[in-house]
Amino acid sequence: MSKRTPLIAGNWKMNKTATEGVELVKEISAASVGSHASVNVVLCPPFTALSAVGQAIEGSLIALGAQNIHDKANGAFTGEISASMLRNLHVTHVIIGHSERRSIFGEDDAFVNRKVLAALSATLKPILCVGELLAEREANQTMEVVRRQLEAGLAGVPAAKAESVIIAYEPVWAIGTGKTATPAMAQEVHAFIRKLLAQQFGADTAARILILYGGSMKPDNADALLAEQDIDGGLIGGAALDAKSFTELVRIAAKSLSR
Ligand code: PGA
């Protein structure tokens, strides 16, 4: 049995107003998500819904995550949000370096790294996303890309804080496309990531770090993915916007712990 409690994180991306977000939380809570400890659940709504969703999950075990931060604490950065602003809203997790931030908004590894360090110094748990493009997979560069993104993203992270880091492996070609990596393909990369984590932080710490899979994870493929030894949960986009599929994913993850 894995030593790691599985985590299902919902990345709502630019979807749901505050009102719609609260509605979704009510539906999810009605299905008892967030009332048992065999799986951890994090919801990452857009910034504008953080406060309302935070209130709606109060008293449950569901945690609140954001989708991005700026690395500076404050200042003249129009449109940006700092780690301490998120902490003030009781946010505990933050997605960093999502492929959409990297490709659409031009975030590079150095910026991603500064955000990871800023999150950790504010006691936010960074969910660091790594993953290759289709062209990179086809050119057999998957491991090289993942290694570069992981090592650069985690540069300067002290071993004492490493267990607060969560990694999400998201092959870019599988995000929102309905194409999923096969469980074996995903496991191969997850095992590689854990090996790199062991090199940086030691095997014991690496064994405790969560590595999530992301990219078209749905109730009908989650069981097989979560059965893999190094797949500790999911970062869920599309299927997190629907109460039924998200609830089902949480149920499947809870079951995966007892294998
Ligand atoms: P998807 O998105 O589940 O819609 O593929 C996952 C993600 O981008 O985090």
Side-chain angles (χ1 to χ4, degrees):
M1 201 203 295
S2 165
K3 294 187 280 297
R4 301 174 292 271
T5 303
L7 172 67
I8 295 292
N11 174 10
W12 293 2
K13 308 194 179 183
M14 197 172 74
N15 295 291
K16 308 275 179 202
T17 62
T19 314
E20 290 164 349
V22 169
E23 266 316 299
L24 180 56
V25 171
K26 278 189 195 149
E27 289 175 53
I28 290 171
S29 306
S32 299
V33 167
S35 60
H36 46 83
S38 55
V39 55
N40 290 320
V41 177
V42 182
L43 297 180
C44 305
F47 290 129
T48 46
L50 280 172
S51 184
V53 167
Q55 281 169 27
I57 60 177
E58 228 179 275
S60 79
L61 296 175
I62 300 175
L64 190 61
Q67 299 174 19
N68 187 24
I69 47 166
H70 193 270
D71 65 309
K72 301 289 188 302
N74 54 265
F77 300 101
T78 302
E80 293 295 319
I81 304 281
S82 73
S84 63
M85 292 170 183
L86 296 177
R87 287 301 287 144
N88 189 246
L89 292 178
H90 309 293
V91 171
T92 52
H93 294 68
V94 59
I95 299 169
I96 294 180
H98 189 279
S99 64
E100 286 149 20
R101 299 294 322 167
R102 292 177 191 263
S103 67
I104 305 172
F105 302 101
E107 294 189 4
D108 62 12
D109 284 332
F111 193 23
V112 167
N113 177 237
R114 293 199 301 276
K115 290 177 188 226
V116 168
L117 298 175
L120 287 171
S121 32
T123 66
L124 280 172
K125 289 177 193 278
I127 303 176
L128 171 64
C129 301
V130 299
E132 80 287 1
L133 304 169
L134 181 60
E136 291 165 337
R137 174 158 284 268
E138 286 173 351
N140 282 324
Q141 291 167 348
T142 297
M143 300 308 189
E144 197 182 314
V145 169
V146 166
R147 175 198 288 273
R148 193 201 72 227
Q149 291 177 339
L150 194 81
E151 289 181 348
L154 295 179
V157 170
K161 288 192 176 173
E163 278 179 50
S164 298
V165 174
I166 296 162
I167 307 298
Y169 168 57
E170 301 204 305
V172 179
W173 47 270
I175 295 177
T177 57
K179 290 185 192 146
T180 342
T182 63
M185 274 158 93
Q187 166 59 24
E188 189 189 10
V189 182
H190 281 233
F192 177 66
I193 290 173
R194 203 173 303 284
K195 196 179 87 184
L196 295 173
L197 293 171
Q199 283 167 9
Q200 186 170 354
F201 302 117
D204 287 353
T205 300
R208 287 193 288 269
I209 296 178
L210 292 175
I211 309 175
L212 313 181
Y213 170 80
S216 299
M217 196 192 254
K218 307 228 158 17
D220 61 4
N221 58 29
D223 203 30
L225 285 160
L226 293 170
E228 296 290 344
Q229 201 188 335
D230 290 293
I231 302 183
D232 306 318
L235 180 54
I236 317 296
L241 298 174
D242 172 66
K244 196 159 164 274
S245 55
F246 189 71
T247 305
E248 183 62 9
L249 281 167
V250 172
R251 198 188 58 75
I252 293 167
K255 220 179 53 189
S256 76
L257 184 69
S258 54
R259 271 197 286 260

